[in-house]
Amino acid sequence: MLKDHRQNALPSVKCAVITVSDTRTKETDKSGKLMIELLELEGHKISQYEIISDEKTLIQDTLKGVTANNEVHAVLLNGGTGIANRDVTIEAIQPLFSKEIPGFGELFRMLSYQFDIGSASMLSRAIAGVINNRIVFSTPGSSKAVNLAMKKLILPELGHAVNELKKDLSKN
């Protein structure tokens, strides 16, 4: 019998949540709060929470700092993934990836098409990858999109993904 690929998943992951928005504050950030709430319900820890504006350099600098923090093993961003001129999250983070995880964006768009916004899902540029041995997920900023990504994709695989990243680090 094949063993479950998640059997060595970490039960608790230290996470950073970053909302990319020019208008949200910690009081009005429903999507960031939802990410935090869902992570904590599953037993994960929040090491950092920030709201930053849609500025490419700021997003990159923030991510470089967060992924250098030993208290963070996963980074979850929301916002700035659309096609508007101000949406620069993807342009900011994609060049930082040492590895891209294309299946996340593909599956997110499929689920979004099926269960949420139909053909408008083709406009989503949700993405995931690895920066400095940290898993990074970037979702749209709407609460419905965050809820979908968290429940269907991120939470079921978060502990497994982080374990995969960490399992051979000490061997190098």
Side-chain angles (χ1 to χ4, degrees):
M1 178 187 280
L2 294 173
K3 69 179 186 176
D4 182 1
H5 69 279
R6 293 186 204 152
Q7 89 177 31
N8 294 321
L10 299 175
S12 180
V13 172
K14 297 174 186 175
C15 301
V17 172
I18 301 170
T19 296
V20 179
S21 174
D22 291 331
T23 58
R24 293 185 187 168
T25 65
K26 288 194 176 179
E27 291 75 36
T28 63
D29 180 22
K30 292 179 190 173
S31 294
K33 286 179 186 174
L34 179 59
M35 280 182 159
I36 291 168
E37 177 185 327
L38 292 172
L39 286 164
E40 289 178 338
L41 280 172
E42 292 291 317
H44 302 295
K45 306 294 182 218
I46 308 305
S47 300
Q48 196 169 340
Y49 168 52
E50 291 188 47
I51 300 174
I52 59 174
S53 62
D54 264 316
E55 300 291 338
K56 185 176 177 181
T57 304
L58 179 59
I59 296 167
Q60 288 180 328
D61 290 346
T62 300
L63 257 181
K64 288 174 186 174
V66 169
T67 58
N69 181 348
N70 288 331
E71 293 301 311
V72 174
H73 298 124
V75 182
L76 289 78
L77 294 100
N78 73 88
T81 64
I83 61 170
N85 285 332
R86 290 291 298 154
D87 293 329
V88 297
T89 301
I90 305 309
E91 289 75 14
I93 68 174
Q94 198 167 32
L96 301 178
F97 286 157
S98 58
K99 293 184 181 196
E100 193 166 328
I101 306 169
F104 173 75
E106 294 163 359
L107 287 169
F108 175 78
R109 284 180 283 282
M110 180 195 75
L111 292 167
S112 184
Y113 176 82
Q114 290 177 324
F115 299 111
D116 190 11
I117 58 175
S119 61
S121 63
M122 76 172 89
L123 303 178
S124 171
R125 299 184 305 139
I127 194 171
V130 177
I131 301 172
N132 195 23
N133 297 307
R134 304 320 192 266
I135 187 100
V136 177
F137 295 100
S138 182
T139 71
S142 80
S143 294
K144 284 180 78 174
V146 165
N147 191 58
L148 180 70
M150 292 294 291
K151 289 182 176 175
K152 296 285 189 181
L153 299 171
I154 297 171
L155 290 171
E157 292 299 328
L158 184 60
H160 174 230
V162 171
N163 186 62
E164 285 296 304
L165 284 172
K166 296 176 92 175
K167 73 180 182 182
D168 59 0
L169 287 178
S170 61
K171 296 175 187 170
N172 293 336

